[in-house]
């Protein structure tokens, strides 16, 4: 299931208020991505393994001890449906 709100709750100002459409210098969330990247994108790969692990979608080659389980029960997927 996907949640799609009727009204926008979050947006960014990428253009100026006038009608020229000129782009302003605004902070972008990926500006600091180099601060968190490690050789071979280790952080990204570990994050994807964690997400896939919580969803029970990791390939058989990835064992449960290879990804971080912190707060998995606290922030779990809910109890209404199983992941199978």
């Amino acid at each position: 299931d996907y949640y799609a709100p009727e009204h926008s709750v979050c947006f960014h100002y990428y253009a100026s208020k006038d009608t020229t459409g000129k782009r302003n210098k605004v902070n972008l969330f990926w500006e600091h991505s180099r601060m968190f990247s490690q050789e071979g994108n280790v952080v990204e790969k570990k994050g994807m393994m964690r997400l896939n692990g919580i969803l029970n979608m990791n390939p058989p080659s990835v064992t449960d001890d290879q990804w971080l389980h912190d707060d998995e029960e606290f922030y779990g997927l809910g109890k209404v449906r199983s992941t199978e």
Side-chain angles (χ1 to χ4, degrees):
D1 295 343
Y2 292 99
Y3 172 70
E6 187 174 323
H7 301 285
S8 180
V9 295
C10 179
F11 53 90
H12 296 280
Y13 290 109
Y14 287 115
S16 58
K17 285 186 177 183
D18 62 17
T19 58
T20 64
K22 291 182 181 176
R23 296 173 74 82
N24 293 329
K25 174 69 176 138
V26 295
N27 295 330
L28 307 170
F29 72 92
W30 55 81
E31 286 180 350
H32 302 290
S33 63
R34 285 189 216 121
M35 291 173 50
F36 301 104
S37 65
Q38 298 175 3
E39 190 173 319
N41 294 326
V42 174
V43 174
E44 272 184 52
K45 289 176 184 175
K46 286 187 176 188
M48 185 57 75
M49 282 192 341
R50 177 177 163 82
L51 174 63
N52 286 336
I54 291 171
L55 295 172
N56 295 322
M57 293 180 65
N58 270 329
S61 61
V62 177
T63 60
D64 277 351
D65 62 336
Q66 290 180 286
W67 55 277
L68 190 61
H69 293 267
D70 290 359
D71 296 325
E72 181 182 356
E73 292 298 318
F74 185 75
Y75 293 110
L77 298 175
K79 297 178 177 131
V80 175
R81 289 181 242 169
S82 70
T83 56
E84 283 85 39

